[in-house]
Each structure stands twice: as structure tokens, then as C-alpha cells.
Amino acid sequence: MYVILVYDIGERRVTKMLKLCRQYLNWIQNSVFEGEITEVKLKELLSVAKKIMKEEEDSVIIFKSRDEKWLEKEIIGIEKNSLDTII
Amino acid sequence: MYVILVYDIGERRVTKMLKLCRQYLNWIQNSVFEGEITEVKLKELLSVAKKIMKEEEDSVIIFKSRDEKWLEKEIIGIEKNSLDTII
């Protein structure tokens, strides 16, 4: 499935969350990731994320689409991280 | 159609962008909005957004789904702005 993940995490935890999400998805902007992922891998990602988060302060939202082709993407301005650049 | 809009805007322009997006979509987190919108209204929003932005520095990404039911949403942690609270 194709997912978009956005997070709003306390400053002291955000670097850990960034490193975690980068192992599973593509960073595209600010606190936004996208990519193809299996149900099992998403569960794995979210279970580790929960250990990093303070659930009473932090927020992670995942939008899941069964197929990337059901999601049309439009970019205005610069592409902060085009998918083909590997950092 | 249902859209998710995320932006990464320079500090001096971000308040204007927030106010603009709030007129068309629901703020859900950080620089993330979602909601039902027509093609015409989305064009209107983006044409004004372009006047606010410095396209060589700022970035707006829109994910469009023809129908909200094709997008499953999962929230972990707090819901920064549940859709029924009007600010």
C-alpha cells in the first residue's frame, strides 16, 4: 500500500523519529514522508514510533491508499527532496 | 475530491499561508491540511498560494484522492485538531 506519514513531535524526540521514518519511507518535506510499504513493515514502524513518542504530546498521522495510482501528487515551488536523490 | 496539503514555507510567509489554507481546508497538524474540495476551489487556493510563496524557496505538496473513502487515516498520539473543533 502507499502511505503518507506526517508527524508533529516534541523537539527532543524529533531527530529520533526522523531517523526511524527514513528507514521505511521517503522524506519529502518538513515532517512529511511518503512511500510504498507493507502492512507488516508499517506495523513495525509504528510500534517503534510509539516507543519514541510521548503520546499525550506528540502526533503521527498516516494516510493509507491501497495503490499509489489512486493518489495524484502536485508540487508547487521547490521539491525539497526529489525521490531520486539519496541523502 | 479529497486532498491532503502540506507546505514548507519561509517563516515570514507562513502565517499568510496558514490563514489562506484555513479558508479552504481543515488544519490537522503542523503544516498539514486535509479536506473535500472542488477542482475550481483548489485552483483558486493554489493561485493565491503562488502569490504568497517564493517558489524558489517554498514548497507546497498536494495529494489528491478522487474520494475520501480511498484514503484510510490512522492517528497515533494526540489529535492536534480533531475535525469537529472549530478554532
Side-chain angles (χ1 to χ4, degrees), chain A residues 61-78:
Chain A
I61 303 175
I62 305 101
F63 295 93
K64 305 176 201 173
S65 172
R66 248 173 284 158
D67 195 310
E68 183 178 0
K69 67 176 188 294
W70 290 2
L71 265 178
E72 191 197 323
K73 183 175 162 185
E74 181 177 351
I75 298 170
I76 297 174
I78 57 164

Side-chain angles (χ1 to χ4, degrees), chain B:
Chain B
M1 78 188 137
Y2 203 83
V3 304
I4 300 154
L5 182 149
V6 294
Y7 60 61
D8 189 340
I9 303 289
E11 220 171 305
R12 266 174 288 150
R13 296 178 292 284
V14 74
T15 310
K16 249 189 190 172
M17 186 62 93
L18 173 67
K19 282 183 186 153
L20 170 68
C21 292
R22 271 205 153 130
Q23 294 167 31
Y24 293 84
L25 296 167
N26 304 301
W27 177 83
I28 52 171
Q29 194 205 73
N30 244 348
S31 49
V32 183
F33 293 77
E34 67 171 339
E36 197 64 36
I37 191 169
T38 63
E39 196 73 48
V40 171
K41 282 290 178 190
L42 181 60
K43 275 207 174 83
E44 193 182 284
L45 164 59
L46 298 182
S47 75
V48 179
K50 282 179 186 167
K51 289 178 191 136
I52 293 172
M53 292 168 71
K54 276 192 174 176
E55 289 195 46
E56 67 285 1
E57 284 178 39
D58 300 336
S59 167
V60 172
I61 304 176
I62 304 102
F63 295 92
K64 303 176 203 174
S65 172
R66 249 172 285 161
D67 196 312
E68 185 178 359
K69 67 175 188 293
W70 291 2
L71 265 177
E72 190 197 324
K73 183 175 160 186
E74 180 176 351
I75 298 170
I76 298 174
I78 58 163
E79 205 167 329
K80 296 272 176 166
N81 177 31
S82 54
L83 291 186
D84 44 31
T85 55
I86 310 293
I87 295 173

Side-chain angles (χ1 to χ4, degrees), chain A residues 22-55:
Chain A
R22 271 208 153 126
Q23 294 166 30
Y24 294 83
L25 296 167
N26 304 302
W27 178 83
I28 52 171
Q29 197 203 70
N30 243 347
S31 49
V32 182
F33 294 76
E34 68 171 338
E36 196 64 38
I37 192 169
T38 63
E39 197 73 49
V40 170
K41 283 289 178 190
L42 181 60
K43 273 205 176 86
E44 192 181 287
L45 164 58
L46 297 181
S47 77
V48 180
K50 282 178 187 168
K51 289 178 192 138
I52 294 172
M53 291 168 71
K54 275 192 174 177
E55 288 194 49

